[in-house]
Amino acid sequence: MNLTQKIEQLQHIINTSRQIVFFGGAGVSTESGIPDFRSEDGLYHQKYRYSPETILSHSFFVQKTEDFFEFYRDKMIVTDVKPNITHHFLAKLEQSGKLLGIITQNIDGLHQAAGSKRVIELHGSIHRNTCMRCLKPYPLSAVQAADGVPRCECGGIIKPDVVLYEENLNESDITGSVSMISAADTLIVGGTSLSVYPAASFLRYFDGSHLVLINKSATPYDGNADLLIQAGLGEVFGTLHID
């Protein structure tokens, strides 16, 4: 099948599905101007004093906190962006009653900005920040405005609610994701290499009718897909409509 035929098949799947779940990664937000990690131009292929994997680890955060926040503010906080075609389509799909919810590996909050209500953010969000000492919540602006390490009025470090390497996912997010995927009749996976665990392993809980994979490059789950579309998400979702 060519791309047009595959999109037509996806349209039919959406039309006949009642409990769709969308599982997304960095490729959902790249069309809004947010860089991903693993592509040729991604963060992991840029040169830093330390590798991004090292900087974004719990141990680095603890040992070199100031260096962490310098990188975090420079590369992880992106605010001058807006939801794109994919974000808006998924929000409308939820409003139509067909979409159970979204499970995202992104931390940018763009799904909510587009109007989506049921969003599980597996890796946290740049928009939530908490004092490590007194647990007082802080907005993103508190981290942006700080000179060096952002600190609470109590003196504690304000830590972004972002899951770092060496840290566990939130247990309620794991439970919610598994429950949502288990209940789906269609699972659409988009814009993710499915190489980050344990998030990628959640797909094994899907037992519905249609597993759809949309990604520019190959993934380890391509052979399991009922429909595989190797294209940009905007190109696909920009063609679809909701009955």
Side-chain angles (χ1 to χ4, degrees), residues 85-106:
I85 289 171
T86 301
H87 296 110
H88 287 298
F89 179 86
L90 292 170
K92 291 177 182 176
L93 195 62
E94 181 186 73
Q95 292 164 13
S96 75
K98 285 180 172 286
L99 187 73
L100 283 179
I102 294 167
I103 303 166
T104 180
Q105 296 169 282
N106 297 334

Side-chain angles (χ1 to χ4, degrees), residues 6-23:
K6 289 186 175 185
I7 294 176
E8 289 175 353
Q9 184 175 342
L10 176 57
Q11 181 70 70
H12 175 73
I13 289 172
I14 290 174
N15 290 348
T16 56
S17 297
R18 292 295 176 264
Q19 298 191 100
I20 302 171
V21 169
F22 181 82
F23 182 98

